[in-house]
Amino acid sequence: MKSKGLGEFLGEVIGTFTLILLGDGVVANVGLAPRLAAPAYNWNTITIGWAFAVIVAVYVAGGVSGAHINPAVTIALAVKRGFPWSKVPTYILGQLVGAFLGALGVYLVYREGLVAAGMPNVWCTGPGSVFGQAFWGGQGAAAQGSYSLLNASIAEIFGTMVLLFGVLASGDQRNLGLKFNMGPFLVGGTVLSVGLSLGGPSGYAINPARDLGPRIFGALVGTQGLFDGSYWIVAPVIMPIIGAILGVLLYDWFVSAFLPEKSE
């Protein structure tokens, strides 16, 4: 007899594995530029790659576990959508395992390039650079510093809040609704929009497992500085959970409350 709990756990493992294999994979591709000179790859490449990583991952695991593939989503759904709290630890464990294995996959694919480059950080997010004279795209400007932990944390809250807007809207039949199983494209499009519009200060983790699992793997294979200070636990882990809960609350207060009842 098939175990539903085991299936959901494995669904989150394979879904998050797919997410990180493709998501961190595009970061490695951009960072190492193995096919073209570095200017051919840019932030747009990363955001588009991550968006399609989400789309593929949700299609892979959606029918088995619902494809949360994100502890912040799991916790938010438990807070306000009736997802059983008893399943939360299993889902989060599956997400962390999948994220770690996805990072392993990226390592195996790009190993020679990563070793030659000194094992750079292609695994996890961090504060973005601040430029003194780069407004409207001044190319070649030197970084003047980086965003603070506070600023990066605010970006993670807003980014994850918007992610939940997209996740909730994608499955809300009382809203405009999506036909022909197109929900994953709305979720992926939301991730693309967050990356393009809100991703600068923190690198838009918006997913604790997406950041922490690969961060652990990266430290094990020799990437330096991944656990220096408190940034790693605050901005990409704690703040997305706060943002996700805020997102589901705001969606219900300002959207769900005013939608028409679903007709029979």
Side-chain angles (χ1 to χ4, degrees):
M1 184 176 180
K2 295 179 180 178
S3 168
K4 187 169 188 265
L6 177 60
E8 290 171 339
F9 170 78
L10 294 176
E12 289 300 297
V13 170
I14 193 65
T16 315
F17 166 82
T18 304
L19 172 71
I20 300 304
L21 179 66
L22 299 178
D24 277 359
V26 74
V27 176
N29 198 24
V30 168
L32 300 173
R35 291 287 179 181
L36 298 171
Y41 300 96
N42 54 34
W43 184 250
N44 292 337
T45 309
I46 290 175
T47 56
I48 292 169
W50 269 105
F52 276 93
V54 171
I55 292 168
V56 174
V58 173
Y59 273 122
V60 166
V64 178
S65 67
H68 294 189
I69 59 175
N70 182 339
V73 171
T74 298
I75 291 171
L77 295 181
V79 167
K80 201 68 173 64
R81 282 296 184 275
F83 184 76
W85 281 102
S86 61
K87 292 185 178 183
V88 169
T90 300
Y91 268 59
I92 292 177
L93 178 60
Q95 292 152 5
L96 288 170
V97 170
F100 184 91
L101 294 176
L104 170 61
V106 173
Y107 174 79
L108 294 175
V109 170
Y110 283 100
R111 180 183 177 280
E112 292 180 359
L114 290 168
V115 170
M119 205 56 66
N121 177 20
V122 301
W123 319 109
C124 55
T125 62
S129 296
V130 176
F131 294 88
Q133 298 179 356
F135 195 61
W136 297 126
Q139 295 184 354
Q144 304 297 307
S146 62
Y147 284 93
S148 67
L149 174 58
L150 175 60
N151 201 150
S153 295
I154 292 170
E156 287 293 331
I157 289 173
F158 275 91
T160 317
M161 178 188 74
V162 173
L163 172 64
L164 262 291
F165 289 169
V167 168
L168 295 171
S170 72
D172 192 346
Q173 296 305 311
R174 294 172 58 213
N175 208 324
L176 293 179
L178 291 163
K179 309 298 182 184
F180 308 113
N181 295 320
M182 293 297 290
F185 278 90
L186 174 57
V187 178
T190 304
V191 172
L192 175 61
S193 184
V194 168
L196 290 173
S197 301
L198 306 174
S202 65
Y204 75 113
I206 61 174
N207 180 340
R210 166 269 171 279
D211 197 90
L212 184 56
R215 191 180 292 269
I216 294 170
F217 179 84
L220 292 176
V221 294
T223 302
Q224 300 298 310
L226 297 183
F227 287 94
D228 291 351
S230 61
Y231 184 96
W232 67 272
I233 189 67
V234 177
V237 175
I238 296 173
M239 295 305 151
I241 295 172
I242 294 172
I245 295 171
L246 182 61
V248 73
L249 291 174
L250 290 176
Y251 187 88
D252 280 356
W253 291 341
F254 296 105
V255 179
S256 294
F258 300 99
L259 290 173
E261 294 299 324
K262 184 178 178 182
S263 58
E264 297 297 333

